[in-house]
Amino acid sequence: MIKNLPLLFAAALTLSACGLGDSRLNPFNWFGGAEEEVIEAAPPVDGIEDPRGLVTALTDLTVDRAPGGAIITAYALPQTQGYWDTALIAENDGRPVDGVLTLQFRATPPFDAQPTGTDRSRQITAVIFLSNQDLEFVRTIEVKSQTNILRARR
């Protein structure tokens, strides 16, 4: 029992570092909160053939650690109710450029005219899981819409 005490003490100190709010050792801090950038219009990207259009505006972006990777969740606010078939589509075949992995938030618009409704009734969500291998060289995850870009940095 006494022989295992230093090992137990070292393990306890190592795990206690995860409780530090701003520690780089804390896996919950690997990606921070979202930062927003307003843009005029998102330019079309070659190589993405998707009939869904970019959503109008993003409202939030979260990156949550999961076993084997991370879950990226983006929230958007289209102009009207009825948008469906949402997806986060990776640019550059999912390869990061200079440490930045860029995703486009795309959704299919309604087939006929829909009421505007409240913001809460229009909010849509898209989620993607990225493995640790996908995130190996990623320092920033950015999600694009027509009018803004949200970024989460490590």
PDB file of all heavy atoms in Angstrom, residues 16-40:
ATOM      1  N   SER A  16      -6.236  16.780 -10.921  1.00  0.00           N
ATOM      2  CA  SER A  16      -6.708  18.049 -10.381  1.00  0.00           C
ATOM      3  C   SER A  16      -6.468  19.198 -11.348  1.00  0.00           C
ATOM      4  O   SER A  16      -7.147  20.212 -11.283  1.00  0.00           O
ATOM      5  CB  SER A  16      -6.055  18.333  -9.033  1.00  0.00           C
ATOM      6  OG  SER A  16      -4.672  18.592  -9.201  1.00  0.00           O
ATOM      7  N   ALA A  17      -5.524  19.058 -12.265  1.00  0.00           N
ATOM      8  CA  ALA A  17      -5.269  20.106 -13.263  1.00  0.00           C
ATOM      9  C   ALA A  17      -6.464  20.275 -14.186  1.00  0.00           C
ATOM     10  O   ALA A  17      -6.685  21.350 -14.731  1.00  0.00           O
ATOM     11  CB  ALA A  17      -4.018  19.769 -14.076  1.00  0.00           C
ATOM     12  N   CYS A  18      -7.260  19.216 -14.359  1.00  0.00           N
ATOM     13  CA  CYS A  18      -8.448  19.325 -15.203  1.00  0.00           C
ATOM     14  C   CYS A  18      -9.495  20.245 -14.588  1.00  0.00           C
ATOM     15  O   CYS A  18     -10.346  20.760 -15.279  1.00  0.00           O
ATOM     16  CB  CYS A  18      -9.060  17.948 -15.453  1.00  0.00           C
ATOM     17  SG  CYS A  18      -8.019  16.908 -16.492  1.00  0.00           S
ATOM     18  N   GLY A  19      -9.435  20.447 -13.291  1.00  0.00           N
ATOM     19  CA  GLY A  19     -10.394  21.314 -12.628  1.00  0.00           C
ATOM     20  C   GLY A  19     -10.066  22.783 -12.778  1.00  0.00           C
ATOM     21  O   GLY A  19     -10.884  23.638 -12.477  1.00  0.00           O
ATOM     22  N   LEU A  20      -8.873  23.112 -13.237  1.00  0.00           N
ATOM     23  CA  LEU A  20      -8.495  24.509 -13.418  1.00  0.00           C
ATOM     24  C   LEU A  20      -9.237  25.067 -14.612  1.00  0.00           C
ATOM     25  O   LEU A  20      -9.169  24.530 -15.710  1.00  0.00           O
ATOM     26  CB  LEU A  20      -6.986  24.635 -13.611  1.00  0.00           C
ATOM     27  CG  LEU A  20      -6.138  24.117 -12.445  1.00  0.00           C
ATOM     28  CD1 LEU A  20      -4.667  24.190 -12.809  1.00  0.00           C
ATOM     29  CD2 LEU A  20      -6.412  24.921 -11.191  1.00  0.00           C
ATOM     30  N   GLY A  21      -9.930  26.157 -14.430  1.00  0.00           N
ATOM     31  CA  GLY A  21     -10.773  26.715 -15.476  1.00  0.00           C
ATOM     32  C   GLY A  21     -10.054  27.059 -16.762  1.00  0.00           C
ATOM     33  O   GLY A  21     -10.545  26.788 -17.844  1.00  0.00           O
ATOM     34  N   ASP A  22      -8.874  27.663 -16.676  1.00  0.00           N
ATOM     35  CA  ASP A  22      -8.179  28.115 -17.875  1.00  0.00           C
ATOM     36  C   ASP A  22      -6.994  27.244 -18.238  1.00  0.00           C
ATOM     37  O   ASP A  22      -6.179  27.621 -19.071  1.00  0.00           O
ATOM     38  CB  ASP A  22      -7.694  29.555 -17.680  1.00  0.00           C
ATOM     39  CG  ASP A  22      -8.862  30.514 -17.526  1.00  0.00           C
ATOM     40  OD1 ASP A  22      -9.904  30.258 -18.144  1.00  0.00           O
ATOM     41  OD2 ASP A  22      -8.720  31.508 -16.792  1.00  0.00           O
ATOM     42  N   SER A  23      -6.875  26.079 -17.636  1.00  0.00           N
ATOM     43  CA  SER A  23      -5.727  25.221 -17.890  1.00  0.00           C
ATOM     44  C   SER A  23      -5.780  24.616 -19.283  1.00  0.00           C
ATOM     45  O   SER A  23      -6.825  24.195 -19.757  1.00  0.00           O
ATOM     46  CB  SER A  23      -5.683  24.089 -16.853  1.00  0.00           C
ATOM     47  OG  SER A  23      -4.697  23.152 -17.196  1.00  0.00           O
ATOM     48  N   ARG A  24      -4.626  24.565 -19.982  1.00  0.00           N
ATOM     49  CA  ARG A  24      -4.545  23.904 -21.282  1.00  0.00           C
ATOM     50  C   ARG A  24      -4.661  22.392 -21.131  1.00  0.00           C
ATOM     51  O   ARG A  24      -4.886  21.683 -22.086  1.00  0.00           O
ATOM     52  CB  ARG A  24      -3.221  24.238 -21.975  1.00  0.00           C
ATOM     53  CG  ARG A  24      -3.023  25.698 -22.253  1.00  0.00           C
ATOM     54  CD  ARG A  24      -3.491  26.160 -23.573  1.00  0.00           C
ATOM     55  NE  ARG A  24      -2.865  25.478 -24.666  1.00  0.00           N
ATOM     56  CZ  ARG A  24      -3.442  25.342 -25.842  1.00  0.00           C
ATOM     57  NH1 ARG A  24      -4.626  25.835 -26.032  1.00  0.00           N
ATOM     58  NH2 ARG A  24      -2.838  24.722 -26.821  1.00  0.00           N
ATOM     59  N   LEU A  25      -4.485  21.891 -19.892  1.00  0.00           N
ATOM     60  CA  LEU A  25      -4.628  20.465 -19.650  1.00  0.00           C
ATOM     61  C   LEU A  25      -6.086  20.042 -19.561  1.00  0.00           C
ATOM     62  O   LEU A  25      -6.403  18.870 -19.688  1.00  0.00           O
ATOM     63  CB  LEU A  25      -3.914  20.077 -18.350  1.00  0.00           C
ATOM     64  CG  LEU A  25      -2.410  20.323 -18.314  1.00  0.00           C
ATOM     65  CD1 LEU A  25      -1.864  20.011 -16.928  1.00  0.00           C
ATOM     66  CD2 LEU A  25      -1.707  19.491 -19.370  1.00  0.00           C
ATOM     67  N   ASN A  26      -6.975  20.990 -19.337  1.00  0.00           N
ATOM     68  CA  ASN A  26      -8.390  20.695 -19.214  1.00  0.00           C
ATOM     69  C   ASN A  26      -8.978  20.441 -20.599  1.00  0.00           C
ATOM     70  O   ASN A  26      -9.047  21.344 -21.419  1.00  0.00           O
ATOM     71  CB  ASN A  26      -9.106  21.867 -18.543  1.00  0.00           C
ATOM     72  CG  ASN A  26     -10.553  21.578 -18.249  1.00  0.00           C
ATOM     73  OD1 ASN A  26     -11.121  20.611 -18.740  1.00  0.00           O
ATOM     74  ND2 ASN A  26     -11.159  22.433 -17.440  1.00  0.00           N
ATOM     75  N   PRO A  27      -9.434  19.210 -20.890  1.00  0.00           N
ATOM     76  CA  PRO A  27      -9.957  18.921 -22.226  1.00  0.00           C
ATOM     77  C   PRO A  27     -11.214  19.700 -22.568  1.00  0.00           C
ATOM     78  O   PRO A  27     -11.535  19.877 -23.734  1.00  0.00           O
ATOM     79  CB  PRO A  27     -10.243  17.416 -22.194  1.00  0.00           C
ATOM     80  CG  PRO A  27     -10.261  17.031 -20.767  1.00  0.00           C
ATOM     81  CD  PRO A  27      -9.444  18.032 -20.022  1.00  0.00           C
ATOM     82  N   PHE A  28     -11.931  20.213 -21.582  1.00  0.00           N
ATOM     83  CA  PHE A  28     -13.116  21.005 -21.869  1.00  0.00           C
ATOM     84  C   PHE A  28     -12.771  22.404 -22.372  1.00  0.00           C
ATOM     85  O   PHE A  28     -13.625  23.121 -22.856  1.00  0.00           O
ATOM     86  CB  PHE A  28     -14.011  21.087 -20.633  1.00  0.00           C
ATOM     87  CG  PHE A  28     -14.579  19.760 -20.246  1.00  0.00           C
ATOM     88  CD1 PHE A  28     -14.125  19.098 -19.127  1.00  0.00           C
ATOM     89  CD2 PHE A  28     -15.549  19.154 -21.029  1.00  0.00           C
ATOM     90  CE1 PHE A  28     -14.638  17.869 -18.780  1.00  0.00           C
ATOM     91  CE2 PHE A  28     -16.067  17.924 -20.693  1.00  0.00           C
ATOM     92  CZ  PHE A  28     -15.610  17.266 -19.564  1.00  0.00           C
ATOM     93  N   ASN A  29     -11.511  22.804 -22.263  1.00  0.00           N
ATOM     94  CA  ASN A  29     -11.075  24.115 -22.740  1.00  0.00           C
ATOM     95  C   ASN A  29     -10.339  24.045 -24.068  1.00  0.00           C
ATOM     96  O   ASN A  29      -9.714  25.012 -24.473  1.00  0.00           O
ATOM     97  CB  ASN A  29     -10.144  24.771 -21.702  1.00  0.00           C
ATOM     98  CG  ASN A  29     -10.893  25.195 -20.485  1.00  0.00           C
ATOM     99  OD1 ASN A  29     -12.094  25.383 -20.521  1.00  0.00           O
ATOM    100  ND2 ASN A  29     -10.195  25.348 -19.384  1.00  0.00           N
ATOM    101  N   TRP A  30     -10.358  22.926 -24.732  1.00  0.00           N
ATOM    102  CA  TRP A  30      -9.588  22.800 -25.971  1.00  0.00           C
ATOM    103  C   TRP A  30     -10.097  23.748 -27.049  1.00  0.00           C
ATOM    104  O   TRP A  30      -9.344  24.216 -27.869  1.00  0.00           O
ATOM    105  CB  TRP A  30      -9.588  21.374 -26.448  1.00  0.00           C
ATOM    106  CG  TRP A  30      -8.713  20.495 -25.609  1.00  0.00           C
ATOM    107  CD1 TRP A  30      -7.883  20.888 -24.600  1.00  0.00           C
ATOM    108  CD2 TRP A  30      -8.580  19.091 -25.687  1.00  0.00           C
ATOM    109  NE1 TRP A  30      -7.251  19.816 -24.051  1.00  0.00           N
ATOM    110  CE2 TRP A  30      -7.663  18.687 -24.711  1.00  0.00           C
ATOM    111  CE3 TRP A  30      -9.156  18.122 -26.495  1.00  0.00           C
ATOM    112  CZ2 TRP A  30      -7.302  17.370 -24.526  1.00  0.00           C
ATOM    113  CZ3 TRP A  30      -8.801  16.803 -26.298  1.00  0.00           C
ATOM    114  CH2 TRP A  30      -7.871  16.435 -25.325  1.00  0.00           C
ATOM    115  N   PHE A  31     -11.370  24.021 -27.074  1.00  0.00           N
ATOM    116  CA  PHE A  31     -11.923  25.032 -27.963  1.00  0.00           C
ATOM    117  C   PHE A  31     -12.698  26.006 -27.103  1.00  0.00           C
ATOM    118  O   PHE A  31     -13.476  25.610 -26.240  1.00  0.00           O
ATOM    119  CB  PHE A  31     -12.850  24.420 -29.012  1.00  0.00           C
ATOM    120  CG  PHE A  31     -12.126  23.680 -30.089  1.00  0.00           C
ATOM    121  CD1 PHE A  31     -11.938  22.316 -30.005  1.00  0.00           C
ATOM    122  CD2 PHE A  31     -11.608  24.354 -31.174  1.00  0.00           C
ATOM    123  CE1 PHE A  31     -11.260  21.629 -30.985  1.00  0.00           C
ATOM    124  CE2 PHE A  31     -10.923  23.677 -32.162  1.00  0.00           C
ATOM    125  CZ  PHE A  31     -10.746  22.312 -32.074  1.00  0.00           C
ATOM    126  N   GLY A  32     -12.483  27.291 -27.315  1.00  0.00           N
ATOM    127  CA  GLY A  32     -13.157  28.300 -26.504  1.00  0.00           C
ATOM    128  C   GLY A  32     -14.518  28.640 -27.061  1.00  0.00           C
ATOM    129  O   GLY A  32     -15.062  27.957 -27.921  1.00  0.00           O
ATOM    130  N   GLY A  33     -15.092  29.735 -26.563  1.00  0.00           N
ATOM    131  CA  GLY A  33     -16.388  30.188 -27.040  1.00  0.00           C
ATOM    132  C   GLY A  33     -16.287  30.748 -28.450  1.00  0.00           C
ATOM    133  O   GLY A  33     -15.210  30.972 -28.988  1.00  0.00           O
ATOM    134  N   ALA A  34     -17.415  30.973 -29.049  1.00  0.00           N
ATOM    135  CA  ALA A  34     -17.461  31.434 -30.432  1.00  0.00           C
ATOM    136  C   ALA A  34     -17.160  32.923 -30.527  1.00  0.00           C
ATOM    137  O   ALA A  34     -17.572  33.718 -29.694  1.00  0.00           O
ATOM    138  CB  ALA A  34     -18.828  31.142 -31.035  1.00  0.00           C
ATOM    139  N   GLU A  35     -16.413  33.286 -31.563  1.00  0.00           N
ATOM    140  CA  GLU A  35     -16.161  34.682 -31.903  1.00  0.00           C
ATOM    141  C   GLU A  35     -16.864  34.947 -33.226  1.00  0.00           C
ATOM    142  O   GLU A  35     -16.832  34.119 -34.126  1.00  0.00           O
ATOM    143  CB  GLU A  35     -14.661  34.918 -32.087  1.00  0.00           C
ATOM    144  CG  GLU A  35     -13.833  34.599 -30.867  1.00  0.00           C
ATOM    145  CD  GLU A  35     -12.346  34.621 -31.180  1.00  0.00           C
ATOM    146  OE1 GLU A  35     -11.954  34.924 -32.326  1.00  0.00           O
ATOM    147  OE2 GLU A  35     -11.574  34.315 -30.270  1.00  0.00           O
ATOM    148  N   GLU A  36     -17.488  36.127 -33.356  1.00  0.00           N
ATOM    149  CA  GLU A  36     -18.255  36.423 -34.555  1.00  0.00           C
ATOM    150  C   GLU A  36     -17.538  37.434 -35.439  1.00  0.00           C
ATOM    151  O   GLU A  36     -16.900  38.364 -34.961  1.00  0.00           O
ATOM    152  CB  GLU A  36     -19.631  36.982 -34.188  1.00  0.00           C
ATOM    153  CG  GLU A  36     -20.491  37.269 -35.395  1.00  0.00           C
ATOM    154  CD  GLU A  36     -21.885  37.757 -35.023  1.00  0.00           C
ATOM    155  OE1 GLU A  36     -22.121  38.074 -33.855  1.00  0.00           O
ATOM    156  OE2 GLU A  36     -22.716  37.832 -35.924  1.00  0.00           O
ATOM    157  N   GLU A  37     -17.671  37.232 -36.755  1.00  0.00           N
ATOM    158  CA  GLU A  37     -17.201  38.191 -37.741  1.00  0.00           C
ATOM    159  C   GLU A  37     -18.338  38.409 -38.730  1.00  0.00           C
ATOM    160  O   GLU A  37     -18.888  37.457 -39.276  1.00  0.00           O
ATOM    161  CB  GLU A  37     -15.982  37.650 -38.487  1.00  0.00           C
ATOM    162  CG  GLU A  37     -15.517  38.553 -39.610  1.00  0.00           C
ATOM    163  CD  GLU A  37     -14.393  37.950 -40.437  1.00  0.00           C
ATOM    164  OE1 GLU A  37     -13.740  37.010 -39.966  1.00  0.00           O
ATOM    165  OE2 GLU A  37     -14.185  38.421 -41.558  1.00  0.00           O
ATOM    166  N   VAL A  38     -18.702  39.665 -38.944  1.00  0.00           N
ATOM    167  CA  VAL A  38     -19.750  40.001 -39.902  1.00  0.00           C
ATOM    168  C   VAL A  38     -19.113  40.158 -41.274  1.00  0.00           C
ATOM    169  O   VAL A  38     -18.071  40.793 -41.419  1.00  0.00           O
ATOM    170  CB  VAL A  38     -20.474  41.304 -39.485  1.00  0.00           C
ATOM    171  CG1 VAL A  38     -21.521  41.688 -40.503  1.00  0.00           C
ATOM    172  CG2 VAL A  38     -21.087  41.144 -38.106  1.00  0.00           C
ATOM    173  N   ILE A  39     -19.749  39.551 -42.289  1.00  0.00           N
ATOM    174  CA  ILE A  39     -19.229  39.632 -43.652  1.00  0.00           C
ATOM    175  C   ILE A  39     -20.319  40.168 -44.570  1.00  0.00           C
ATOM    176  O   ILE A  39     -21.502  40.134 -44.240  1.00  0.00           O
ATOM    177  CB  ILE A  39     -18.742  38.245 -44.153  1.00  0.00           C
ATOM    178  CG1 ILE A  39     -19.863  37.210 -44.084  1.00  0.00           C
ATOM    179  CG2 ILE A  39     -17.544  37.789 -43.363  1.00  0.00           C
ATOM    180  CD1 ILE A  39     -19.500  35.864 -44.671  1.00  0.00           C
ATOM    181  N   GLU A  40     -19.910  40.671 -45.737  1.00  0.00           N
ATOM    182  CA  GLU A  40     -20.871  41.214 -46.693  1.00  0.00           C
ATOM    183  C   GLU A  40     -21.646  40.104 -47.381  1.00  0.00           C
ATOM    184  O   GLU A  40     -22.840  40.092 -47.398  1.00  0.00           O
ATOM    185  CB  GLU A  40     -20.142  42.079 -47.721  1.00  0.00           C
ATOM    186  CG  GLU A  40     -19.436  43.242 -47.074  1.00  0.00           C
ATOM    187  CD  GLU A  40     -19.847  44.546 -47.660  1.00  0.00           C
ATOM    188  OE1 GLU A  40     -20.581  44.554 -48.655  1.00  0.00           O
ATOM    189  OE2 GLU A  40     -19.426  45.568 -47.106  1.00  0.00           O
TER     190      GLU A  40
END
